[in-house]
């Protein structure tokens, strides 16, 4: 047990903050073990996390909201372990967030300014929501400033950025075709800061917590994949971790939601499941304290942690509508139409050939088989005699 | 064309060309069929437990094996496009000069629209088919790149790993999958037209194109003033 310290003299560590809020050492260690398991660390990772949280000073955090529905925040505060929410939401670190802060108006904006000037280069910027670039960013204005201006201003002094959810990572529904506000993900606006994309609509609470703990505890960016997502949570497809996967390999599919196969819990591939193209931890961590996830509840995955998932619809159809063509035209319909036209064209061509190329197809002078055979035999005879 | 036709036998398609042609043909059929099955698996009602079946896994496995085979054949064919005979060379597939484009238009007039009575001397490919095969090659390249781009995510092999840059280019795997699947339809269209055209030329010009891709030999109209057959078209000495 760490000796109690007077935390008024210096910025408290995260652990000290927790203790002062009544978290027991036992709960703290449970939390560390839990987090290291989520992050895929070794056994020794537990003590690393514990030590880091005991010794590190609080990292200031600002949580920005732009074009979004706050489902990421909603997901986060439902995290199955209260300490996670405590770390941030009980102001251990969180300095600014539009939806949950007590302050309002000028007071709130002042806190933001204070934080980004006082902790320049030290604070974490968490972003929920995409940024509209259309019409000079007028579609999203907070406190008289457009989202795009705020993003540039806050990102400039940020140590790192966490983009929460599909909005901030890929634009989500507001960036779906035709994207009237030119909703743009953070990684397309800010290029000079490390960005962690925590995908999902919303992301799983434990994933959000895991990423935050990683940043707070180790003070560095977790390993990311080629789309900037933490590998610990997004390296496998929902499909690969799905308990219904054996049905897929065995070719046992739900044909419609009310058939016998659906009751048996067969694979939802043919009713549009996006599990095979979706990278997330739903099959492993699941939702709401590990209760369930969409596929377990009989609903196909809609691919909410992938870019363009709204445009790759309809959700209940295996083959998506083909981009660039009209609604409801899949590659199959286009292919069948082109195929029909081709076959009809070839039939016309074949008929035309027999008319126009008649003179070439028919027997040509000197091509009579019987005559040729006869002349050969005569030649043979001539040769023999 | 009223004088008797006089054909000479000429060696056009070398063995590697014929081999890769048939390997590619087999691969395209297998990939097309399994690809279609992967997109539209047939449904059946059964009481079987999942642990007793693996047919969809086998369909996918077949698709991947055929894909690897296709790539190897493709790479070898590219190599042969630089060392093979005149008819196998890359240059015979690419229309570069205005003259070659004019020839393509002329061939289209003769063979496709049949508005011209001129004749063409297609020992290898004519200008239109050259163009078609060049497009097919690009299409095959796209299928390989998009296919292995999709495959990269579920593989630890170095070869698919070379294609891990593809998916981000398309934004999401589902989008990439849509394109990979749609391209399958272009292969189907190509196959229909290609097979028809082979039958057509064999039917009309008597150069033996249909058997040529098995034996390597084709038949050329020999004229009184015909230039001697190019030395490249003589088969290797036995």
């Amino acid at each position: 047990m760490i000796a109690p310290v007077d935390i008024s003299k210096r910025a408290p560590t995260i652990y000290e903050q927790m203790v002062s809020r009544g978290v027991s050492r036992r709960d703290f260690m449970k939390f560390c073990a839990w987090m290291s398991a989520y992050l895929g660390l070794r056994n020794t990772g537990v003590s690393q996390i514990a030590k880091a949280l005991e010794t590190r000073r609080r990292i200031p955090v600002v949580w920005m909201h732009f074009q979004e529905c706050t489902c990421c925040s909603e997901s986060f505060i439902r995290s199955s372990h209260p300490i996670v929410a405590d770390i941030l939401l009980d102001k251990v670190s969180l300095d600014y967030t539009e939806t949950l802060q007590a302050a309002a108006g000028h007071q709130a904006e002042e806190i933001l300014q204070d934080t980004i000037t006082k902790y320049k280069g030290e604070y974490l910027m968490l972003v929920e929501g995409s940024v509209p670039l259309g019409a000079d960013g007028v579609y999203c204005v907070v406190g008289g400033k457009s989202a795009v201006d705020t993003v540039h201003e806050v990102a400039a002094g940020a140590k790192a950025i966490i983009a929460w959810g599909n909005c901030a990572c890929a634009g989500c529904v507001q960036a779906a075709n035709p994207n009237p506000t030119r909703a743009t993900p953070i990684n397309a606006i800010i290029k000079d800061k490390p960005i962690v994309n925590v995908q999902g609509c919303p992301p799983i609470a434990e994933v959000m917590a895991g990423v935050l703990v990683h940043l707070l505890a180790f003070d560095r960016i977790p390993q990311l994949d080629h789309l900037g997502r933490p590998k610990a949570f997004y390296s496998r497809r929902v499909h690969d971790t799905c308990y219904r996967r054996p049905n897929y390999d065995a070719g046992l599919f739900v044909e419609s939601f009310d058939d016998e196969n659906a009751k048996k819990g067969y694979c939802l591939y043919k009713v549009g499941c996006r599990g095979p193209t979706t990278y997330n931890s739903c099959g492993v961590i699941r939702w709401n304290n590990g209760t369930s996830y969409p596929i377990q509840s009989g609903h196909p995955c809609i691919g909410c942690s992938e870019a363009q998932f709204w445009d790759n619809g309809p959700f209940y159809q295996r083959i998506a509508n083909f981009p660039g063509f009209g609604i409801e035209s899949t590659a199959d319909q286009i292919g069948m139409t082109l195929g029909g036209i081709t076959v009809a064209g070839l039939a016309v061509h074949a008929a035309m050939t027999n008319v126009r190329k008649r003179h070439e197809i028919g027997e040509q002078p000197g091509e009579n088989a019987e005559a040729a055979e006869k002349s050969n035999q005569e030649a043979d005879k001539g040769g023999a005699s | 064309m009223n004088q008797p036709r006089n054909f000479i036998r000429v060696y056009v398609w070398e063995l590697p060309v014929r081999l890769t042609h048939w390997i590619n043909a087999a691969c395209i059929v297998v990939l097309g069929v399994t690809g279609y099955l992967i997109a539209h698996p047939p449904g059946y009602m059964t009481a079987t437990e999942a642990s007793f079946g693996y047919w969809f896994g086998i369909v996918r496995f077949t698709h991947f094996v055929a894909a690897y085979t296709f790539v190897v054949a493709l790479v070898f064919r590219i190599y042969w496009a630089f060392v093979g005979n005149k008819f196998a060379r890359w240059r015979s597939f690419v229309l570069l000069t205005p003259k070659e484009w004019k020839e393509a238009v002329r061939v289209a007039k003769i063979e496709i629209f049949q508005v011209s009575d001129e004749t063409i001397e297609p020992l290898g490919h004519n200008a239109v088919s050259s163009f078609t095969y060049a497009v097919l090659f690009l299409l095959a390249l796209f299928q390989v790149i998009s296919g292995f781009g999709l495959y990269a995510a579920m593989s630890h092999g170095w070869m698919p790993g070379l294609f891990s840059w593809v998916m981000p280019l398309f934004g999401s795997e589902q989008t990439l999958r849509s394109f990979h699947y749609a391209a399958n339809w272009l292969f189907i269209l190509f196959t229909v037209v290609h097979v028809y055209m082979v039958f057509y030329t064999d039917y009309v010009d008597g150069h033996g194109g249909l058997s040529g891709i098995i034996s390597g030999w084709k038949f050329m109209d020999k004229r009184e003033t015909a230039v001697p057959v190019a030395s490249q078209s003589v088969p290797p000495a036995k």
Side-chain angles (χ1 to χ4, degrees):
Chain A
M1 184 94 189
I2 289 183
V5 284
D6 181 7
I7 60 173
S8 61
K9 290 202 175 126
R10 54 165 176 78
T13 67
I14 295 165
Y15 174 68
E16 285 161 358
Q17 288 270 4
M18 285 178 169
V19 171
S20 72
R21 288 184 181 273
V23 173
S24 71
R25 176 74 186 173
R26 185 180 173 79
D27 280 345
F28 172 73
M29 286 314 294
K30 269 156 77 181
F31 169 72
C32 294
W34 210 51
M35 277 299 135
S36 71
Y38 276 145
L39 289 165
L41 304 177
R42 281 181 292 195
N43 260 356
T44 51
V46 183
S47 55
Q48 278 180 351
I49 290 187
K51 189 161 184 217
L53 294 180
E54 281 165 2
T55 51
R56 283 197 185 284
R57 303 278 172 274
R58 80 192 264 280
I59 301 175
V61 170
V62 292
W63 184 318
M64 313 300 296
H65 296 257
F66 301 119
Q67 284 182 301
E68 46 93 4
C69 70
T70 317
C71 75
C72 300
S73 301
E74 289 285 346
S75 173
F76 187 71
I77 60 177
R78 274 156 190 74
S79 169
S80 46
H81 207 294
I83 290 181
V84 180
D86 282 355
I87 287 180
L88 258 115
L89 303 178
D90 286 354
K91 286 218 188 115
V92 170
S93 272
L94 193 62
D95 287 326
Y96 177 89
T97 177
E98 281 97 339
T99 48
L100 291 167
Q101 65 198 352
H106 292 296
Q107 207 186 1
E109 295 311 310
E110 214 179 282
I111 297 170
L112 178 63
Q113 287 306 323
D114 275 0
T115 308
I116 64 174
T117 44
K118 196 169 151 198
Y119 298 106
K120 197 168 185 336
E122 287 173 44
Y123 61 89
L124 280 181
M125 176 188 184
L126 316 189
V127 187
E128 203 177 333
S130 59
V131 175
L133 297 182
D136 283 336
V138 77
Y139 297 109
C140 182
V141 174
V142 179
K145 264 189 221 162
S146 72
V148 58
D149 289 343
T150 310
V151 162
H152 281 296
E153 187 188 353
V154 178
K159 190 175 198 176
I161 299 172
I162 301 181
W164 288 141
N166 204 310
C167 297
C169 298
C172 206
V173 68
Q174 59 274 22
N177 191 34
N179 192 357
T181 65
R182 268 186 71 209
T184 309
I186 304 306
N187 54 54
I189 298 173
I190 305 298
K191 298 285 183 193
D192 56 349
K193 296 281 169 182
I195 299 178
V196 183
N197 287 326
V198 183
Q199 263 283 21
C201 186
I204 302 172
E206 285 71 27
V207 170
M208 301 172 79
V211 172
L212 255 180
V213 167
H214 190 287
L215 279 162
L216 294 176
F218 298 115
D219 201 18
R220 66 183 123 98
I221 300 286
Q223 252 199 327
L224 304 179
D225 69 4
H226 49 282
L227 292 176
R229 302 176 295 194
K231 276 188 175 171
F233 303 107
Y234 295 94
S235 61
R236 281 192 293 172
R237 299 177 297 178
V238 172
H239 190 54
D240 295 329
T241 50
C242 182
Y243 76 101
R244 296 194 187 204
R245 176 65 191 259
N247 294 291
Y248 170 85
D249 287 325
L252 300 172
F253 300 109
V254 171
E255 302 292 325
S256 71
F257 287 108
D258 55 357
D259 69 2
E260 195 58 34
N261 292 357
K263 284 180 199 156
K264 283 180 184 152
Y266 287 172
C267 174
L268 295 159
Y269 183 73
K270 285 178 81 176
V271 286
C273 186
R274 300 290 190 254
T277 49
T278 304
Y279 291 77
N280 210 337
S281 304
C282 301
V284 180
I285 298 176
R286 309 199 180 189
W287 291 78
N288 301 322
N289 295 355
T291 306
S292 180
Y293 71 114
I295 295 167
Q296 192 175 342
S297 310
H299 191 281
C301 167
I302 60 172
C304 78
S305 59
E306 293 296 320
Q308 304 161 358
F309 80 101
W310 293 99
D311 288 329
N312 281 321
F315 290 149
Y316 303 108
Q317 197 172 298
R318 172 69 211 133
I319 299 295
N321 283 340
F322 200 74
F325 287 83
I327 300 167
E328 306 298 316
S329 48
T330 62
D332 287 333
Q333 283 156 329
I334 297 164
M336 289 297 269
T337 311
L338 288 178
I341 294 169
T342 306
V343 170
L346 295 185
V348 170
H349 190 265
M352 185 167 75
T353 300
N354 281 299
V355 177
R356 294 216 195 219
K357 300 271 180 185
R358 190 73 257 162
H359 57 281
E360 281 181 56
I361 300 160
E363 191 180 295
Q364 308 293 324
E367 283 186 353
N368 186 291
E370 283 175 27
E373 212 173 31
K374 210 169 162 190
S375 100
N376 269 1
Q377 283 164 1
E378 271 161 23
D380 287 348
K381 269 182 211 159
S385 60
Chain B
M1 201 185 283
N2 276 322
Q3 58 273 56
R5 296 176 83 178
N6 203 0
F7 288 111
I8 58 162
R9 200 161 163 256
V10 285
Y11 191 65
V12 178
W13 310 125
E14 298 162 301
L15 184 63
V17 174
R18 284 176 278 150
L19 266 181
T20 47
H21 171 271
W22 288 113
I23 291 170
N24 286 344
C27 286
I28 288 172
V29 170
V30 170
L31 287 166
V33 170
T34 52
Y36 190 82
L37 282 175
I38 290 167
H40 302 282
Y44 61 99
M45 310 293 273
T46 168
T48 319
E49 285 295 324
S51 49
F52 289 106
Y54 197 69
W55 77 262
F56 199 59
I58 291 167
V59 167
R60 293 175 65 245
F61 178 73
T62 313
H63 192 79
F64 304 143
V65 170
Y68 271 108
T69 315
F70 187 58
V71 170
V72 173
L74 205 65
V75 169
F76 181 74
R77 187 62 184 82
I78 292 171
Y79 162 74
W80 202 256
F82 289 92
V83 299
N85 70 14
K86 179 183 146 193
F87 307 105
R89 293 250 165 183
W90 67 272
R91 190 62 186 83
S92 70
F93 292 94
V94 191
L95 306 182
L96 287 180
T97 61
K99 202 180 138 204
E100 285 166 338
W101 282 100
K102 259 184 210 154
E103 171 65 9
V105 173
R106 193 178 81 90
V107 172
K109 274 187 192 164
I110 299 166
E111 304 290 9
I112 296 176
F113 302 107
Q114 302 182 347
V115 291
S116 163
D117 261 348
E118 293 173 46
T119 51
I120 56 169
E121 278 299 328
L123 245 196
H125 301 128
N126 67 45
V128 171
S129 53
S130 293
F131 177 72
T132 316
Y133 298 138
V135 173
L136 181 77
F137 172 74
L138 293 179
L139 189 64
L141 217 55
F142 175 78
Q143 277 309 64
V144 167
I145 291 169
S146 60
F148 276 93
L150 286 166
Y151 188 75
M154 48 178 150
S155 160
H156 294 291
W158 64 269
M159 206 288 241
L162 298 177
F163 296 89
S164 57
W165 51 272
V166 182
M167 202 271 270
L169 214 60
F170 283 78
S172 80
E173 256 190 52
Q174 192 65 28
T175 312
L176 179 55
R177 203 166 266 231
S178 288
F179 278 99
H180 186 68
Y181 177 70
N184 190 23
W185 278 103
L186 299 179
F187 273 98
I188 294 172
L189 293 185
F190 165 81
T191 308
V192 170
V193 175
H194 175 70
V195 171
Y196 170 81
M197 277 324 221
V198 170
F199 279 57
Y200 162 81
T201 44
D202 203 72
Y203 184 53
V204 171
D205 67 16
H207 292 147
L210 201 51
S211 65
I213 197 60
I214 296 170
S215 67
W217 293 89
K218 287 182 84 171
F219 301 93
M220 193 180 79
D221 281 315
K222 192 185 177 190
R223 296 199 204 87
E224 292 303 318
T225 55
V227 287
V229 179
S231 60
Q232 286 146 312
S233 63
V234 173
K238 295 220 167 102

